[in-house]
Amino acid sequence: MNNPFIRRGVAPLLAALLLTACATPDFVQPHVATPTAFRESQAPAAADVEVAGVDGARWKPAQPAEAQPRGQWWLAFNDPALTALIEEAAANNANLSVAASRVKQARAIAGIAEADRIPQVGIGIGAQRARLSPLESNLPQGTDTEARNSYTARLSASYEVDLFGRVAAGVSAARGDAATSEANFRSVLLALQADVAQTYFRLRALDAELVTVDQTVRLREESVGVTQRRFDLGDIGEFDLSRARTELATARAEAIGVQRQRATTEHALAVLLGKPAADYVAGPSPLLDASLMPAIPAGLPSSLLERRPDIVAAQRAMEASNARIGVARGAMFPALTISADGGGVGGVFSEVFKWSSRSWVVGALASMPLIDGGRNRNNVLRSEAALEESVGTYRQSVLVAFAEVEDNLAGLRILAGQSAQIDAAVVSARRSADLAQKLYDAGRSSYLELLDAQRNLAAVERSAVQLRGDRALTTVALIRSLGGGWDAAQAGTTNLAQR
């Protein structure tokens, strides 16, 4: 080491070796402010719900827990038709197929990155016929040279010594991308399942609304018939008959509008199932009872929320971005490649494998950039900025997840209160309509009073049906916002759809 040339050559290498540990930075989980509990789970309507976790802690920092059992959450609805639709969609949906293909691509890319960690070995066998010029053969000019045959068989190997973790960082980044794709696939799958369930319940709610609207149409038809007979007898004037006909036409128009909505919803369900809209027909199945909605536990521990695949995808994307910083930094350090090549060369093929025909070469090459115009430095800056972006995406995903759970908890709580009030209103409206009909038949009230009572009853009954559908859709939305299910051991007895 006293030789100054040796010192000059080794010193930079030793300095670079000291930087090995910091080529890939340690991944630091970003801090995200999370609530101690869902505020909506502690609302007055849910004051009796236990919100603490099974370990006694109310909440803990969010961490991906994609490996937790998820379960077939739609079975909780106890609806064979819904189960069949979700299974059919999972088998035939085009978007899910696209997501699955992306997972395969990402896994293949990870396999390509893994290949850089092992020696690359190849074999080659060749034959050629060549005639060299006298100059190339080191002979006097004008000498006649002959064409010759030559045969070769070579075995070569090369291996990059991962001194500074560049290869390992590339593998980590590729694995992170594959894990991100898998989480995105689960996110697409969960979205598909929830979309099928919501579209199915929306279709059933429209069927129930059609039943209500058709009842109103029949009532209006009966009213027109009675009014026409009374007009023919001279008991009433033409004004009452015109109003009755107007109300009948309006009710029929409303029925046609609901039928249009049902057709559009049926077509949307067909697309989710991977079928042409023209080939799919869903039979009527009115949603008549919202009390059949499953019990959704309130105040679940944060470990359940961690199962959301979109948060998992954001987490894995952060880890991949962090690993790419190591790849970018590693490109600034020396790369050491060891190679070996050996084989035989002969004038005839049988001589190729003779010991006297052998040839070999072994070498090592260390290389690093000297002048690159700032390419590598800017690549490091870009990788660091990409990590900052992924951190922001992760934080936003967590905040949105909590907000969605709060929204759906509030939605179920408020819809339950609305439903209780609308049920009472339906009872009162029916009583009012009965009394108005009797008073009108007895000639003690005008047709306008009867019409107003009937119109109010129809509106209230239709609102009750719509609320029933909204509660079903919100129940599915809550399950989706919780990551697609819950553990039976943590499930409480509170049914938010019935409160």
Side-chain angles (χ1 to χ4, degrees):
M1 294 295 290
N2 293 328
N3 190 312
F5 295 100
I6 296 179
R7 289 200 303 269
R8 291 174 185 173
V10 175
L13 180 59
L14 292 178
L17 288 172
L18 294 176
L19 295 174
T20 301
C22 62
T24 302
D26 293 334
F27 177 74
V28 179
Q29 180 69 28
H31 172 72
V32 180
T34 56
T36 57
F38 287 123
R39 185 181 67 179
E40 289 297 333
S41 68
Q42 296 178 322
D48 57 335
V49 178
E50 176 62 39
V51 298
V54 295
D55 57 355
R58 298 181 67 83
W59 282 95
K60 66 183 183 67
Q63 297 177 351
E66 187 68 6
Q68 291 185 9
R70 189 172 301 276
Q72 297 175 311
W73 55 265
W74 55 89
L75 297 180
F77 289 90
N78 196 27
D79 191 331
L82 174 61
T83 299
L85 290 174
I86 289 180
E87 291 176 351
E88 184 176 359
N92 302 319
N93 183 264
N95 288 334
L96 190 62
S97 177
V98 171
S101 298
R102 289 173 179 166
V103 172
K104 294 179 181 178
Q105 295 176 46
R107 288 176 176 173
I109 292 173
I112 294 172
E114 289 276 4
D116 292 336
R117 306 184 74 169
I118 62 176
Q120 306 298 301
V121 180
I123 187 173
I125 298 177
Q128 68 177 10
R129 180 176 176 81
R131 178 183 181 278
L132 301 180
S133 69
L135 181 62
E136 291 174 317
S137 302
N138 198 23
L139 296 174
Q141 189 68 23
T143 302
D144 187 19
T145 59
E146 297 180 355
R148 295 182 178 181
N149 297 329
S150 64
Y151 301 88
T152 59
R154 313 294 299 180
L155 180 66
S156 60
S158 64
Y159 176 69
E160 180 179 348
V161 181
D162 195 16
L163 294 176
F164 305 99
R166 184 190 65 82
V167 175
V171 172
S172 296
R175 287 177 176 175
D177 289 339
T180 300
S181 295
E182 292 172 6
N184 285 332
F185 170 79
R186 294 187 181 94
S187 184
V188 173
L189 177 59
L190 175 59
L192 173 64
Q193 294 167 346
D195 287 345
V196 169
Q198 288 186 315
T199 306
Y200 169 73
F201 285 123
R202 188 178 294 113
L203 193 64
R204 293 189 60 188
L206 288 171
D207 286 338
E209 192 171 347
L210 268 176
V211 171
T212 301
V213 175
D214 288 344
Q215 291 175 348
T216 302
V217 170
R218 288 194 295 270
L219 179 63
R220 294 287 182 264
E221 290 173 344
E222 294 174 359
S223 180
V224 168
V226 172
T227 305
Q228 181 68 53
R229 288 192 294 270
R230 295 189 64 183
F231 173 77
D232 294 340
L233 295 173
D235 294 340
I236 58 174
E238 187 178 357
F239 175 77
D240 289 348
L241 179 59
S242 297
R243 288 301 299 266
R245 289 174 176 174
T246 300
E247 291 299 321
L248 173 59
T250 301
R252 287 174 174 172
E254 291 179 351
I256 294 173
V258 176
Q259 290 171 356
R260 180 186 63 82
Q261 295 179 43
R262 189 192 188 281
T264 302
T265 304
E266 185 181 60
H267 299 160
L269 184 58
V271 173
L272 292 173
L273 298 177
K275 293 182 175 181
D279 297 341
Y280 179 71
V281 178
S285 178
L287 183 62
L288 302 177
D289 190 357
S291 64
L292 298 178
M293 295 297 104
I296 309 301
L300 292 167
S302 60
S303 59
L304 190 58
L305 183 60
E306 293 161 6
R307 293 161 57 188
R308 282 181 57 122
D310 57 339
I311 294 180
V312 175
Q315 172 79 23
R316 302 310 178 206
M318 282 193 304
E319 296 171 357
S321 296
N322 187 77
R324 286 193 176 88
I325 296 177
V327 175
R329 289 181 179 178
M332 303 174 69
F333 299 150
L336 177 60
T337 303
I338 299 175
S339 60
D341 185 271
V345 179
V348 294
F349 188 75
S350 60
E351 295 177 351
V352 171
F353 301 101
K354 291 182 178 181
W355 184 251
S356 59
S357 301
R358 71 187 185 281
S359 66
W360 56 268
V361 60
V362 176
L365 175 65
S367 62
M368 68 175 295
L370 293 179
I371 300 175
D372 63 0
R375 180 188 302 272
N376 287 328
R377 180 175 59 84
N378 284 289
N379 195 27
V380 171
L381 294 176
R382 181 191 64 81
S383 301
E384 292 173 346
L387 175 59
E388 294 176 1
E389 177 186 359
S390 63
V391 169
T393 301
Y394 171 77
R395 287 174 172 165
Q396 183 67 13
S397 298
V398 173
L399 293 176
V400 169
F402 278 103
E404 288 178 351
V405 175
E406 293 282 5
D407 289 345
N408 292 305
L409 285 173
L412 284 178
R413 176 175 57 82
I414 294 171
L415 286 172
Q418 283 183 289
S419 297
Q421 296 299 319
I422 205 70
D423 289 342
V426 168
V427 174
S428 298
R430 287 174 179 170
R431 178 61 177 167
S432 297
D434 290 340
L435 292 175
Q437 184 68 55
K438 293 177 180 178
L439 291 174
Y440 178 75
D441 293 341
R444 297 173 57 185
S445 66
S446 66
Y447 181 74
L448 289 179
E449 293 175 330
L450 172 61
L451 190 61
D452 183 66
Q454 291 177 342
R455 187 186 297 120
N456 183 60
L457 174 60
V460 172
E461 288 180 337
R462 192 170 179 181
S463 296
V465 171
Q466 291 172 344
L467 280 175
R468 193 183 306 150
D470 290 342
R471 291 174 69 183
L473 297 181
T474 306
T475 299
V476 175
L478 177 58
I479 295 175
R480 178 178 179 176
S481 66
L482 292 172
W486 57 89
D487 294 334
Q490 297 176 348
T493 58
T494 301
N495 187 348
L496 297 181
Q498 299 180 10
R499 288 191 297 144

